[in-house]
Amino acid sequence: RRAWLAYDAHLRRHRSLDFDDLLLFTLRLLEEAPAVRQALQQRHRHVLVDEYQDTNRPQYEIVRRLAEKHRSLFVVGDDDQAIYGWRGADLSRILGFARDFRGATTVRLQTNYRSTGAILEAANRLIACNVGRHEKTLRAVLEAGDSPRVVGQPDEEAEAAFTAQDIAARLSAGARPAEFAVLLRTALQARPFETALRAAQVPYRLVGG
């Protein structure tokens, strides 16, 4: 508590806001200053929210107040991709959208143009286990392709070594380097893969990050 009070006092002295403040002060302004709220509603006649499944309570309230006059609100989201509950995202917002905004039209985008049929089949079976979700079944435009393989590894070094050795073996069997890609969640994860690929004498090109 002492640390937070000192931090808050520092922000006030420097007339600064952190990310949480940007949300909370904006919401307070919309609630307590009708003239400001009306001006913002007039300025933002149409509201679009992407990744709606990741909105938290203050974000939801801000959107609701901005859109309540013109009722021109368009949100895009997927309840099966909600992964930010640990930082305040509330899945019930997207699940209850039709209830919170009466008269809304729901458009389900269930055709997938990116993944093969085998990958989508595995994904559908996995996400069907989610509790509290909108029913949906993704359909692939692409052919079935090879079945995905899941290999558990104890740490990132073992994971990278396994991947590099697997690619090296396939290259020796006649595969082309252009057939392979290693997808990473963050740029920081590339380091052990670069080390392992060099050790396995596999040429590579790092894209991004």
Side-chain angles (χ1 to χ4, degrees):
R1 182 175 179 275
R2 289 196 303 273
W4 181 84
L5 289 172
Y7 172 66
D8 189 56
H10 175 84
L11 289 176
R12 290 176 182 275
R13 278 197 308 273
H14 294 276
R15 300 178 61 80
S16 300
L17 300 175
D18 64 13
F19 183 72
D20 291 341
D21 289 337
L22 289 174
L23 297 177
L24 297 174
F25 279 70
T26 299
L27 179 56
R28 184 184 300 175
L29 188 65
L30 290 170
E31 289 179 335
E32 299 177 359
V36 174
R37 181 172 68 249
Q38 292 167 10
L40 289 174
Q41 288 172 344
Q42 190 64 26
R43 179 186 301 173
H44 304 290
R45 301 172 71 92
H46 309 285
V47 179
L48 166 65
V49 183
D50 195 15
E51 303 291 0
Y52 190 73
Q53 76 277 357
D54 294 330
T55 52
N56 56 35
R57 178 64 182 270
Q59 290 169 327
Y60 163 80
E61 296 293 349
I62 290 169
V63 168
R64 188 169 69 84
R65 282 163 175 75
L66 286 176
E68 64 186 356
K69 179 178 181 181
H70 297 290
R71 295 179 55 78
S72 179
L73 173 63
F74 188 100
V75 306
V76 180
D78 181 359
D79 46 86
D80 287 320
Q81 295 189 47
I83 60 173
Y84 290 111
W86 54 273
R87 70 177 189 191
D90 187 351
L91 181 61
S92 69
R93 298 298 167 205
I94 191 168
L95 295 177
F97 183 81
R99 179 196 64 236
D100 295 341
F101 300 95
R102 300 285 183 184
T105 299
T106 300
V107 179
R108 298 183 188 277
L109 305 178
Q110 300 182 107
T111 302
N112 184 293
Y113 299 89
R114 184 166 54 183
S115 299
T116 61
I119 289 175
L120 277 189
E121 182 183 354
N124 282 328
R125 288 206 307 267
L126 183 63
I127 65 177
C129 301
N130 289 355
V131 293
R133 62 185 295 263
H134 292 302
E135 286 300 321
K136 67 182 81 70
T137 302
L138 302 178
R139 298 180 298 271
V141 170
L142 301 178
E143 296 179 357
D146 296 333
S147 295
R149 180 171 50 135
V150 178
V151 180
Q153 297 292 341
D155 55 40
E156 62 269 23
E157 281 81 13
E159 178 184 49
F162 172 85
T163 303
Q165 290 160 12
D166 188 54
I167 292 174
R170 292 169 186 259
L171 290 173
S172 297
R176 294 178 297 110
E179 296 177 41
F180 301 94
V182 178
L183 305 180
L184 306 170
R185 181 74 178 171
T186 66
L188 188 64
Q189 292 173 299
R191 186 168 298 168
F193 283 95
E194 290 194 87
T195 301
L197 289 168
R198 283 197 298 269
Q201 296 184 322
V202 174
Y204 67 89
R205 181 164 58 95
L206 185 64
V207 179

